[in-house]
Coordinates of all heavy atoms in Angstrom, one line a residue:
Chain D
R1383 N -32.3 48.5 -17.7 CA -31.0 47.8 -18.0 C -30.7 47.0 -16.8 O -30.7 47.5 -15.6 CB -29.9 48.9 -18.2 CG -28.6 48.3 -18.5 CD -27.5 49.4 -18.3 NE -26.2 48.9 -18.8 CZ -25.7 49.2 -20.0 NH1 -26.3 50.0 -20.8 NH2 -24.6 48.6 -20.4
L1384 N -30.5 45.7 -17.0 CA -30.2 44.8 -15.8 C -29.0 44.0 -16.3 O -28.9 43.3 -17.3 CB -31.4 43.9 -15.5 CG -32.6 44.6 -14.9 CD1 -33.8 43.7 -14.9 CD2 -32.3 45.1 -13.5
Y1385 N -28.0 43.9 -15.4 CA -26.7 43.3 -15.7 C -26.8 41.8 -16.1 O -26.3 41.4 -17.1 CB -25.8 43.5 -14.5 CG -24.4 43.0 -14.8 CD1 -23.5 43.8 -15.5 CD2 -23.9 41.7 -14.3 CE1 -22.2 43.3 -15.8 CE2 -22.7 41.3 -14.5 CZ -21.8 42.0 -15.3 OH -20.5 41.6 -15.5
D1386 N -27.6 41.1 -15.2 CA -27.7 39.7 -15.5 C -28.6 39.4 -16.7 O -28.3 38.5 -17.5 CB -28.3 38.9 -14.2 CG -29.5 39.6 -13.6 OD1 -29.9 40.7 -14.0 OD2 -30.1 39.0 -12.7
Y1387 N -29.6 40.2 -16.9 CA -30.5 40.0 -18.0 C -29.8 40.2 -19.3 O -30.1 39.4 -20.3 CB -31.7 40.9 -17.9 CG -32.9 40.3 -17.0 CD1 -32.6 39.4 -16.0 CD2 -34.2 40.6 -17.3 CE1 -33.6 38.9 -15.2 CE2 -35.2 40.0 -16.5 CZ -34.9 39.2 -15.5 OH -35.9 38.6 -14.7
A1388 N -29.0 41.2 -19.5 CA -28.2 41.4 -20.7 C -27.4 40.2 -21.0 O -27.3 39.7 -22.2 CB -27.4 42.7 -20.6
L1389 N -26.7 39.7 -20.0 CA -25.8 38.5 -20.2 C -26.6 37.3 -20.7 O -26.1 36.4 -21.4 CB -25.1 38.2 -18.9 CG -23.9 39.2 -18.6 CD1 -23.4 39.0 -17.2 CD2 -22.7 39.0 -19.6
F1390 N -27.9 37.2 -20.2 CA -28.7 36.0 -20.5 C -29.0 35.9 -22.0 O -29.4 34.8 -22.4 CB -30.0 36.0 -19.7 CG -29.8 35.6 -18.3 CD1 -30.5 36.1 -17.2 CD2 -28.8 34.6 -17.9 CE1 -30.3 35.7 -15.9 CE2 -28.6 34.2 -16.6 CZ -29.4 34.8 -15.6
F1391 N -28.7 36.9 -22.8 CA -28.9 36.8 -24.2 C -28.0 35.7 -24.7 O -28.4 34.8 -25.6 CB -28.5 38.1 -25.0 CG -28.8 38.0 -26.4 CD1 -30.0 38.3 -27.0 CD2 -27.7 37.7 -27.3 CE1 -30.3 38.1 -28.3 CE2 -28.0 37.6 -28.7 CZ -29.3 37.8 -29.2
V1392 N -26.8 35.6 -24.1 CA -25.9 34.5 -24.5 C -26.5 33.1 -24.1 O -26.5 32.2 -24.9 CB -24.5 34.6 -23.7 CG1 -23.6 33.6 -24.2 CG2 -24.0 36.0 -23.9
S1393 N -27.1 33.1 -22.9 CA -27.6 31.8 -22.4 C -28.8 31.4 -23.3 O -29.0 30.2 -23.6 CB -28.0 32.0 -21.0 OG -28.4 30.8 -20.4
V1394 N -29.7 32.3 -23.6 CA -30.9 32.0 -24.4 C -30.4 31.4 -25.8 O -31.0 30.5 -26.3 CB -31.8 33.2 -24.6 CG1 -33.1 32.8 -25.5 CG2 -32.3 33.7 -23.2
L1395 N -29.4 32.1 -26.4 CA -28.9 31.7 -27.7 C -28.3 30.3 -27.6 O -28.5 29.4 -28.4 CB -27.9 32.7 -28.2 CG -27.3 32.4 -29.6 CD1 -28.5 32.4 -30.7 CD2 -26.3 33.5 -30.0
Y1396 N -27.5 30.1 -26.5 CA -26.9 28.8 -26.2 C -28.0 27.7 -26.2 O -27.9 26.6 -26.8 CB -26.1 28.9 -24.9 CG -25.5 27.6 -24.5 CD1 -24.2 27.2 -24.9 CD2 -26.2 26.7 -23.6 CE1 -23.6 26.0 -24.5 CE2 -25.6 25.5 -23.2 CZ -24.3 25.1 -23.7 OH -23.8 24.0 -23.3
D1397 N -29.0 27.9 -25.3 CA -30.0 26.9 -25.2 C -30.8 26.6 -26.5 O -31.1 25.5 -26.9 CB -31.0 27.3 -24.1 CG -30.5 27.4 -22.7 OD1 -29.4 26.7 -22.5 OD2 -31.0 28.1 -21.9
Y1398 N -31.0 27.8 -27.2 CA -31.7 27.7 -28.5 C -30.9 26.8 -29.5 O -31.5 25.9 -30.1 CB -32.0 29.1 -29.1 CG -32.5 29.0 -30.5 CD1 -33.9 28.7 -30.7 CD2 -31.7 29.3 -31.6 CE1 -34.4 28.6 -32.0 CE2 -32.2 29.2 -32.9 CZ -33.6 28.9 -33.1 OH -34.1 28.8 -34.3
Y1399 N -29.6 27.0 -29.6 CA -28.9 26.3 -30.5 C -28.8 24.8 -30.1 O -28.9 23.9 -30.9 CB -27.4 26.8 -30.7 CG -26.6 26.0 -31.6 CD1 -26.9 26.1 -33.0 CD2 -25.7 25.1 -31.2 CE1 -26.2 25.3 -33.9 CE2 -25.0 24.3 -32.1 CZ -25.3 24.4 -33.4 OH -24.6 23.5 -34.3
E1400 N -28.6 24.6 -28.8 CA -28.6 23.2 -28.3 C -29.9 22.5 -28.7 O -29.8 21.3 -29.1 CB -28.4 23.2 -26.8 CG -27.9 21.9 -26.3 CD -27.7 21.9 -24.8 OE1 -28.6 22.4 -24.1 OE2 -26.7 21.4 -24.3
A1401 N -31.0 23.1 -28.6 CA -32.3 22.5 -28.8 C -32.5 22.3 -30.3 O -33.0 21.3 -30.8 CB -33.4 23.2 -28.2
S1402 N -32.2 23.4 -31.1 CA -32.7 23.5 -32.5 C -31.6 23.1 -33.5 O -31.9 22.8 -34.6 CB -33.1 24.9 -32.8 OG -32.0 25.8 -32.8
Q1403 N -30.3 23.2 -33.1 CA -29.2 23.1 -34.0 C -29.3 24.0 -35.2 O -28.8 23.7 -36.3 CB -29.1 21.6 -34.5 CG -28.9 20.6 -33.3 CD -27.5 20.8 -32.7 OE1 -26.5 20.8 -33.3 NE2 -27.6 20.9 -31.3
D1404 N -29.9 25.2 -35.0 CA -30.1 26.1 -36.1 C -28.9 27.0 -36.2 O -28.8 28.0 -35.5 CB -31.4 27.0 -35.7 CG -31.6 28.2 -36.6 OD1 -30.8 28.4 -37.6 OD2 -32.6 28.9 -36.4
R1405 N -27.9 26.6 -37.0 CA -26.6 27.2 -37.1 C -26.7 28.6 -37.7 O -25.9 29.5 -37.4 CB -25.7 26.3 -37.9 CG -24.2 26.6 -37.6 CD -23.3 25.6 -38.2 NE -21.9 26.1 -38.3 CZ -21.0 25.9 -37.3 NH1 -21.4 25.3 -36.2 NH2 -19.8 26.4 -37.4
D1406 N -27.6 28.8 -38.7 CA -27.7 30.1 -39.3 C -28.0 31.2 -38.3 O -27.4 32.3 -38.3 CB -28.8 30.1 -40.4 CG -28.4 29.2 -41.6 OD1 -27.2 28.9 -41.7 OD2 -29.3 28.8 -42.4

Side-chain angles (χ1 to χ4, degrees):
Chain D
R1383 181 192 189 102
L1384 293 169
Y1385 185 79
D1386 49 351
Y1387 273 31
L1389 286 165
F1390 282 145
F1391 184 83
V1392 183
S1393 188
V1394 178
L1395 183 61
Y1396 175 89
D1397 293 338
Y1398 172 75
Y1399 179 75
E1400 196 180 45
S1402 69
Q1403 301 294 309
D1404 170 1
R1405 198 172 167 90
D1406 291 344

